[in-house]
Amino acid sequence: MNRRETLVLLGTIAALPASVLAQQPNATRRLGVLSVTAADDAIGQARSTILVETLAAHGWKEHDNLRIDWRSGAGDRARIARLADELVTLKPDILLAVGTPSVEELRQRTTAIPIVFAVVTDPVSQGFVKNLAHPGGNITGFTDYDGPLAGKWLEMLTQVTPKVSRVFVVYNPATAPFAPLMLRTIEDAARTLHVSVEAAPVHDAGSITALASRKDGGLLVLPDFFTMANRAQLLAAIGEARVPAVFWSRTFVDEGGLMSYSTDSAEQLRRAANYIDRILKGAQAADLPVQNPTKFELAINLKTARALGLTMSPSLLALANTVVE
């Protein structure tokens, strides 16, 4: 092959679409990951491990044929926005957005790079996708919520003795734009369960500390990465109030919270890795349906219940996947 033929061949390869290059065994691809949790947080580390292991099982090995650019927002919305700028500037082949703020920021910056999301609530109402079956555009992924969950959280609080007649719903409006959807479901359930419901928004350390004064009811903490990032202070305030509380993630229970009913976020990361593999091999995000959660887990911390002088109903304990003694 002469010099001219070589140059023509190289030019032809450079012009190949990403879907074709993905099939080349020596092609290194680039994945940008934007997560709302801190990089050194136990949850963030666990999710990173799951993602890397699952991608490797599909043949995508970090530092080999896959470069991963990791960015972690640590629950700070302004920081997440800056990191979204960084990742899009790098022009990766695909983006993974973990958490609603991550999707919101990335979608504002690119309609060309495929985005797979995980641990996101109600992507249709938030305008991320057209519908679940046919998302359209460059975004698809996996949700962390289905309708009955919010009512289930409230029902769990009514199965604690002494009885709860008032429930405060905790969330940060800035990082949980889907909260009104959940509040409507909770309010509908409250009428059936004969309890009153009141929003208790938090947005900084002071408002979290103020929860310690909510001694006349239970607390229901909505899915929100602000509450996750500030869970130590949140758990301390609830402990000072000495009231029952239900959470959206088992992490809270592992760290001293009373109980949680949640989706399996680890499973979502595995499924997201499957979509990343398919897109890197030529699939279009628009053609991959958004999928709702399929696995749920109920966790109860009996040690916390005893410390608070609470009794959990036998039926609730019988359903628990995990009981912390």
Side-chain angles (χ1 to χ4, degrees):
M1 182 180 295
N2 60 36
R3 181 174 181 273
R4 182 179 179 181
E5 291 172 330
T6 300
L7 291 174
V8 170
L9 177 60
L10 291 174
T12 302
I13 293 174
L16 289 174
S19 58
V20 174
L21 289 174
Q23 300 171 16
Q24 307 305 310
N26 297 320
T28 298
R29 311 305 300 281
R30 193 164 192 170
L31 164 65
V33 179
L34 180 57
S35 174
V36 294
T37 56
D40 58 354
D41 185 277
I43 298 173
Q45 291 177 344
R47 288 173 174 170
S48 298
T49 299
I50 291 167
L51 178 67
V52 169
E53 290 178 348
T54 307
L55 287 171
H58 286 291
W60 299 105
K61 298 180 180 180
E62 190 177 16
H63 309 304
D64 183 3
N65 61 349
L66 181 67
R67 174 173 178 175
I68 304 180
D69 298 296
W70 302 93
R71 298 291 187 276
S72 303
D76 183 329
R77 188 55 185 266
R79 175 177 168 80
I80 292 169
R82 292 194 301 271
L83 296 176
D85 278 330
E86 288 182 16
L87 283 176
V88 172
T89 300
L90 294 174
K91 297 181 179 180
D93 297 286
I94 189 169
L95 292 159
L96 171 64
V98 183
T100 292
S102 298
V103 185
E104 286 185 326
E105 297 299 338
L106 289 172
R107 72 188 287 263
Q108 294 175 24
R109 291 161 174 79
T110 180
T111 58
I113 302 173
I115 300 172
V116 175
F117 62 74
V119 200
V120 167
T121 300
D122 196 20
V124 176
S125 293
Q126 295 192 77
F128 300 158
V129 298
K130 293 179 180 178
N131 59 65
L132 300 185
H134 304 285
N138 63 317
I139 303 175
T140 188
F142 300 87
T143 74
D144 66 345
Y145 174 80
D146 68 353
L149 260 180
K152 179 66 176 178
W153 292 323
L154 188 65
E155 182 184 352
M156 289 168 63
L157 282 173
T158 66
Q159 297 185 53
V160 174
T161 305
K163 293 292 184 182
V164 172
S165 60
R166 188 180 187 187
V167 174
F168 300 100
V169 183
V170 180
Y171 64 97
N172 183 342
T175 54
F178 44 79
L181 167 72
M182 296 184 178
L183 279 169
R184 287 194 294 271
T185 301
I186 292 169
E187 289 165 353
D188 289 342
R191 286 189 283 272
T192 301
L193 297 168
H194 307 292
V195 296
S196 64
V197 171
E198 180 180 331
V202 293
H203 56 274
D204 57 17
S207 55
I208 294 176
T209 301
L211 293 174
S213 65
R214 305 277 191 173
K215 301 179 183 294
D216 56 341
L219 295 176
L220 192 164
V221 181
L222 293 184
D224 182 350
F225 284 97
F226 174 83
T227 57
M228 177 61 77
N230 295 278
R231 63 186 181 277
Q233 185 182 359
L234 181 62
L235 287 168
I238 294 172
E240 185 176 344
R242 295 188 59 78
V243 295
V246 61
F247 301 90
W248 61 276
S249 170
R250 176 181 163 175
T251 301
F252 290 91
V253 175
D254 291 338
E255 297 181 8
L258 179 64
M259 55 185 173
S260 66
Y261 187 59
S262 60
T263 57
D264 186 340
S265 62
E267 180 64 17
Q268 284 200 40
L269 266 294
R270 294 186 187 95
R271 297 169 78 190
N274 294 339
Y275 266 17
I276 291 169
D277 169 61
R278 292 176 64 178
I279 292 172
L280 287 176
K281 290 176 179 175
Q284 299 297 311
D287 299 329
L288 298 176
V290 175
Q291 298 187 39
N292 285 324
T294 57
K295 292 185 178 182
F296 302 86
E297 58 179 355
L298 169 60
I300 297 174
N301 193 321
L302 280 182
K303 181 179 179 181
T304 299
R306 287 192 293 269
L308 295 175
L310 301 172
T311 301
M312 315 301 291
S313 75
S315 59
L316 191 62
L317 286 170
L319 294 172
N321 303 93
T322 301
V323 176
V324 179
E325 296 286 352

